[in-house]
Amino acid sequence: MAGSPVILTLDAGGTNFVFSAVKDKKIIVDPVTKPSHAHDSDQCIQQIISGFKEVSAQIDGPVEGISFAFPGPADYALGILGDLPNFPAFNGDVPLGPILEEAFGIPVFINNDGDLFALGEATSGYLPYLNDELKKRGSRKQFKNLIGITLGTGVGAGIVINGKLLEGDNTCSAEIHNTLNHLHPEWNCEENVSTRAIQRVYATEANQGFDPTLLPLHIYEMALGKREGNQSAAKASFEAFGRALGNTICNLVTLIDGIVVLGGG
């Protein structure tokens, strides 16, 4: 097949796996969704192999690699996963990369989702868009460095310097969740920049029990007065979230002189 290579990829969630394939930055197959079996190592690995095989069957031509994000801790360079909180199946140095390379006979690349988000924004996303817009407006200024931050269940990050992803000596390149929390110095920042943080602060401010089914979207709608609930408590939960995140970003940009891009769920 002419042009760029076909790469198999995976969106790895604790509940479901979504398998796909990309070429020239476009999805070229119908995605395949399978339950992750996150509590059983053998079933989880077999599910990953099965999903990639189903995607491969849709492709007319060679597949040149597998590349996807997976939670850490992990030795990403070797494709070895450590003890994953959201994937109990991976508990004690599981060589997922080598297992897949043996099964498919092609290179396998695994990395952290925050790192890959940052690399994508630096190579094909906001960074080249921003530089192009500056050129169109006659500016000679061009940006080379980027901090990508993912917000969702927790908070993640990746750092790209002069087009190269910062990998770190111990694959701990941008563990933003462990930065300081200026609202609660005894905690890390993720305890105020996460879904559970918004839920916890709302429950405390509203003087009610913690409700894990009350999503940030629900609390956001309460803050806008579009949903029944304690509006002042809802606003306070997002204020705490924003102050903690803002403080972390301020610390990051004193060390990494580049643009900051926010993404995530």
Side-chain angles (χ1 to χ4, degrees):
M1 300 176 72
S4 62
V6 174
I7 304 296
L8 304 183
T9 188
L10 163 65
D11 180 4
T15 303
N16 290 311
F17 290 147
V18 182
F19 301 86
S20 189
V22 295
K23 177 180 170 64
D24 295 322
K25 302 178 183 179
K26 295 180 181 179
I27 295 174
I28 60 171
V29 298
D30 294 326
V32 173
T33 301
K34 290 179 171 290
S36 62
H37 297 302
H39 293 272
D40 186 290
S41 179
D42 290 337
Q43 285 192 45
C44 188
I45 292 172
Q46 288 305 312
Q47 200 76 307
I48 293 174
I49 293 173
S50 173
F52 281 133
K53 284 183 176 179
E54 287 190 32
V55 168
S56 296
Q58 300 183 48
I59 299 169
D60 182 19
V63 174
E64 299 188 37
I66 295 174
S67 176
F68 59 94
F70 218 82
D75 185 333
Y76 289 114
L78 296 179
I80 298 174
L81 304 181
D83 298 335
L84 311 188
N86 293 330
F87 283 87
F90 297 99
N91 186 2
D93 297 334
V94 178
L96 180 60
I99 288 171
L100 294 176
E101 286 184 346
E102 182 177 354
F104 292 92
I106 54 179
V108 175
F109 304 93
I110 306 174
N111 213 321
N112 176 269
D113 54 351
D115 285 341
L116 293 185
F117 167 73
L119 185 60
E121 290 293 338
T123 58
S124 305
Y126 193 78
L127 186 62
Y129 165 79
L130 174 62
N131 286 333
D132 186 55
E133 289 297 310
L134 288 169
K135 284 182 180 179
K136 290 177 181 178
R137 286 160 173 73
S139 173
R140 291 184 293 176
K141 176 69 176 179
Q142 292 285 279
F143 289 87
K144 299 177 181 178
N145 307 312
L146 179 143
I147 302 168
I149 298 176
T150 57
L151 304 173
T153 303
V155 57
I159 296 169
V160 178
I161 300 176
N162 287 327
K164 183 174 176 58
L165 178 68
L166 178 64
E167 297 184 62
D169 291 330
N170 302 288
T171 69
C172 293
S173 56
E175 298 297 331
I176 186 177
H177 69 281
N178 276 329
T179 53
L180 295 178
N181 183 334
H182 85 123
L183 297 180
H184 295 279
E186 70 277 17
W187 297 343
N188 65 16
C189 105
E190 189 169 82
E191 293 307 316
N192 267 100
V193 186
S194 57
T195 292
R196 64 183 178 275
I198 293 172
Q199 294 167 327
R200 185 193 70 248
V201 174
Y202 176 81
T204 300
E205 294 291 327
N207 195 27
Q208 65 183 50
F210 181 86
D211 182 2
T213 67
L214 192 62
L215 300 178
L217 174 61
H218 302 150
I219 298 172
Y220 164 74
E221 291 172 343
M222 291 176 191
L224 295 181
K226 295 181 178 181
R227 186 184 184 96
E228 185 177 349
N230 189 316
Q231 187 175 32
S232 62
K235 289 181 178 180
S237 68
F238 277 96
E239 180 181 356
F241 180 98
R243 288 175 61 196
L245 175 61
N247 185 75
T248 294
I249 292 174
C250 285
N251 284 321
L252 282 175
V253 296
T254 63
L255 298 175
I256 310 298
D257 180 14
I259 68 170
V260 178
V261 180
L262 303 182

